Amino acid sequence: QVHMVESGGGLVEAGGSLKLPCAASGRTDTAYYMGWFRQAPGKEREFVAAVGWSGGITDYADSVKARFTISRNKGENVMYLEMNDLKPEDTAVYYCAARYSYYNSRPSTSVKDYAFWGQGTQVAVAS
């Protein structure tokens, strides 16, 4: 199994920035892709961004393209979500997730495809 721990959440003003790290531990000696999801109050969990095993394949939700950047450091088993130009509608609990994969797999954008989840970190954007 892969154990995921997010951090870095907080309260920022609209237009501000945050960078969320997600540390993976456990059985990380095999290929896995990683993703970020978020869940606002009263809403379903939704895809934000994902990155493949090598870090070369990324995908983003349309709502965050050009504002958010996902990256990973395989050597340290850490994934990051850098969020710029934050908007009040970005307010949510952000979760990182992982799934074992082939080395060149394109990461999924579906919640149901991810097997391992962190506990979430709250991001609040004030208008």
Side-chain angles (χ1 to χ4, degrees), residues 2 31-35 97-102 108 112-116:
V2 181
Y32 58 98
Y33 58 65
M34 304 174 78
R99 172 183 172 161
Y100 290 128
S101 68
Y102 293 105
S108 173
K112 61 179 173 56
D113 288 335
Y114 286 78
F116 311 111

Side-chain angles (χ1 to χ4, degrees), residues 13-80:
E13 292 188 357
S17 299
L18 278 176
K19 188 171 184 177
L20 307 181
C22 171
S25 61
R27 177 123 186 241
T28 58
D29 58 344
T30 187
Y32 58 98
Y33 58 65
M34 304 174 78
W36 286 98
F37 295 80
R38 66 188 182 186
Q39 189 166 17
K43 295 188 176 181
E44 293 188 352
R45 194 169 297 190
E46 64 175 8
F47 169 72
V48 175
V51 60
W53 167 246
S54 68
I57 301 175
T58 58
D59 204 351
Y60 295 91
D62 288 343
S63 60
V64 306
K65 277 181 183 176
R67 299 189 298 124
F68 290 11
T69 302
I70 190 171
S71 61
R72 69 186 292 177
N73 182 324
K74 283 196 306 177
E76 297 183 355
N77 290 317
V78 179
M79 172 178 67
Y80 299 95

